[in-house]
């Protein structure tokens, strides 16, 4: 049988609710050394592992005993043909080839609008196995189903938004997939994770760990995470095989664009309130020797503020100074001037929170999209925006990713976090190519506030250099 392990009857691998079991092997130190993720159960005389490791374990079993039984896989190869011909562009062809060379496993990083979905369709056709596509939002769920129905000759299932239709090719939201993966993990040979930067959370990584799919593809415009947990993505899906930035895209793939930053002053009253609040907040940090620069610094501040004297006041002060800087009157005035100047353009206004989004919507009589917006209303707003009946949409974060609005040519970031991912995503909303289009992202910053440092940090990304 080889030096890795010894046989006890015929080896068999089975799927058990998110894990796999190997029977027919005697416990062996060499095997456990080579496959440390396998745990021996003395009572059941079997090895157990996360379903994620199916590919390497079934390969091992077949190598040591051709008669070993694969009772884990509950799917067969499909006969897929494309209903429409796909001509991959050079960057897509490069990503496709590198992913294929990596054994059908890996992560591809392409900018929003660079054709990640079409690339995935070509990968599905190549692999021709039952496929589960996992997406973060209902908007993306519907978009993927539409594209797959357009290109593939099979019915496409939908899991999420009240739907539970499982087909050989299915699309699920992360939340629904996490709930159903224990029963679905043996039914798909190919897993695709769109916006795969969500994957490292314990709830979502469970999806990748509990499926046996030998073939895996991760897609994202911004794989890197502030917490460094992108390594978890590579462990679950395979290495990053292709990384193309916005600045590398030619004009016939993404629209040329400019990034314009406006610094606007606080009013005298706002400035006074801001300085007083910041003094309280920073005073608490200094007094208790709390640094926010290191890993876990923010969590340390919140924990300390929950029990140290002056902590609650410090949190209130932090929120107030942030609120003043993010929604100053000068910012709203500058926003209005941009809206008036570009009245014929399709514009998306981004804020960091719902409160400011609704404040802008109320002041300027504009439609607002947040996580509170009903699905039917959200769909209607987006359809009216695409048709031109609505020229402006205000949103907090729900349009950061997964919404295809090629008509949008202007983004105005009134407020946001310091993460480059969020702002690359927001920039991506206006970069989808249309002939003659030139996109603009306006960034509004309150002068002499911490927003200046936030802007400098996110502007280090090459996407913020523009293509002028």
């Amino acid at each position: 049988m080889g030096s890795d392990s010894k046989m006890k009857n015929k080896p068999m691998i089975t799927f058990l609710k998110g894990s796999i079991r190997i029977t027919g092997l005697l416990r062996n130190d060499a095997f456990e050394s080579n496959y440390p993720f396998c745990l021996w159960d003395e009572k059941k005389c079997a090895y157990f592992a996360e379903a994620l490791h199916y590919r390497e374990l079934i390969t091992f079993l077949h190598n040591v005993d051709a008669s070993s039984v694969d009772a884990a896989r509950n799917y067969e190869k499909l006969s897929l043909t494309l209903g429409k011909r796909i001509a991959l562009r050079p960057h897509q062809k490069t990503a496709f080839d590198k992913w294929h060379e990596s054994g059908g496993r890996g992560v591809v990083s392409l900018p929003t609008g660079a054709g990640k979905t079409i690339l995935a369709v070509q990968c599905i056709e190549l692999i021709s196995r039952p496929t589960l596509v996992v997406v973060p939002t209902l908007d993306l769920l519907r978009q993927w189903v539409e594209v797959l129905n357009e290109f593939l000759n099979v019915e496409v299932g939908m899991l999420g938004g009240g739907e539970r239709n499982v087909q050989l090719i299915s699309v699920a939201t992360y939340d629904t997939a996490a709930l159903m993966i224990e029963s679905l993990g043996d039914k798909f040979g190919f897993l695709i994770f769109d916006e795969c930067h969500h994957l490292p959370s314990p709830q979502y990584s469970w999806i990748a760990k509990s499926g046996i799919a030998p073939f895996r593809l991760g897609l994202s415009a911004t794989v890197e995470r502030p917490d460094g947990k992108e390594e978890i993505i590579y462990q679950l899906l395979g290495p990053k095989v292709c990384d193309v930035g916005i600045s590398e895209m030619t004009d016939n793939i993404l629209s040329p664009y400019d990034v314009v930053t406006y610094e606007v002053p606080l009013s005298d009253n706002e400035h006074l309130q801001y300085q007083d609040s910041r003094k309280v907040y920073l005073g608490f940090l200094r007094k208790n020797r709390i640094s926010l620069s290191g890993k876990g610094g923010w969590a340390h501040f919140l924990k300390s503020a929950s029990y140290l004297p002056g902590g609650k006041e410090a949190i209130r002060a932090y929120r107030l100074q942030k609120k003043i800087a993010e929604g100053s009157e000068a910012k709203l005035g500058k926003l209005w001037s941009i809206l008036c100047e570009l009245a014929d353009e399709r514009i998306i206004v981004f804020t960091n929170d719902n409160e400011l989004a609704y404040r802008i919507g109320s002041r300027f009589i504009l439609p607002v999209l947040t996580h509170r917006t009903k699905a039917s209303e959200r769909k209607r707003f987006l359809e009216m925006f695409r048709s031109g009946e609505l020229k402006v949409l205000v949103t907090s974060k729900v349009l950061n990713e997964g919404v295809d609005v090629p008509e949008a040519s202007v983004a105005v970031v009134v407020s946001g976090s310091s993460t480059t991912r969020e702002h690359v995503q927001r920039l991506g909303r206006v970069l989808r190519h249309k002939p003659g289009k030139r996109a603009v992202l306006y960034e509004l910053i309150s002068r002499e506030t911490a927003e200046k440092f936030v802007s400098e940090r996110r502007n280090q990304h090459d996407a913020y250099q523009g293509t002028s």
Side-chain angles (χ1 to χ4, degrees), residues 89-105:
R89 291 176 171 177
H91 67 281
Q92 294 171 314
K93 184 66 165 59
T94 298
F96 177 80
D97 290 343
K98 289 185 176 180
W99 178 80
H100 189 199
E101 291 166 6
S102 184
R105 291 172 68 90

Side-chain angles (χ1 to χ4, degrees), residues 66-215:
S67 67
S68 59
V69 179
D70 182 357
R73 189 181 69 180
N74 191 18
Y75 62 85
E76 299 296 333
K77 191 169 182 178
L78 302 177
S79 176
L80 290 178
T81 57
L82 295 179
K84 292 176 62 177
R85 179 177 174 272
I86 292 178
L88 295 180
R89 291 176 171 177
H91 67 281
Q92 294 171 314
K93 184 66 165 59
T94 298
F96 177 80
D97 290 343
K98 289 185 176 180
W99 178 80
H100 189 199
E101 291 166 6
S102 184
R105 291 172 68 90
V107 176
V108 171
S109 179
L110 293 177
T112 299
K116 292 189 290 292
T117 309
I118 298 302
L119 167 66
V121 171
Q122 190 73 73
C123 294
I124 293 172
E125 193 265 343
L126 171 71
I127 298 302
S128 289
R129 303 292 196 284
T131 301
L132 179 65
V133 181
V134 188
V135 302
T137 66
L138 292 175
D139 288 319
L140 269 174
L141 178 73
R142 298 186 187 97
Q143 287 179 26
W144 270 89
V145 170
E146 289 176 5
V147 171
L148 294 176
N149 275 325
E150 180 182 356
F151 282 93
L152 299 178
N153 61 334
V154 295
E155 181 181 355
V156 178
M158 184 184 295
L159 305 172
E163 298 287 338
R164 291 293 188 274
N165 177 24
V166 181
Q167 298 294 332
L168 294 175
I169 306 294
S170 294
V171 187
T173 62
Y174 276 85
D175 289 335
T176 303
L179 292 174
M180 299 183 66
I181 193 62
E182 285 191 349
S183 61
L184 297 177
D186 61 339
K187 294 177 174 58
F188 296 99
F190 190 11
L191 283 176
I192 299 175
F193 290 89
D194 195 12
E195 308 294 354
C196 64
H197 49 266
H198 293 284
L199 203 53
S201 76
Q203 178 186 4
Y204 296 155
S205 62
W206 172 246
I207 306 169
K209 291 177 180 179
S210 301
I212 68 170
F215 304 102

Side-chain angles (χ1 to χ4, degrees), residues 52 65 403:
L52 164 71
D65 185 351
V403 178

Side-chain angles (χ1 to χ4, degrees), residues 270 323-324 326-330 332 351 353-365 368 394:
E270 287 172 337
K323 180 178 179 180
I324 293 169
E326 290 185 343
S328 68
E329 284 300 312
L332 299 192
T351 70
D353 58 67
N354 292 345
E355 182 181 352
L356 181 56
Y358 285 119
R359 180 180 159 201
I360 291 171
S362 177
R363 175 172 296 196
F364 301 131
I365 325 282
V368 179
V394 184

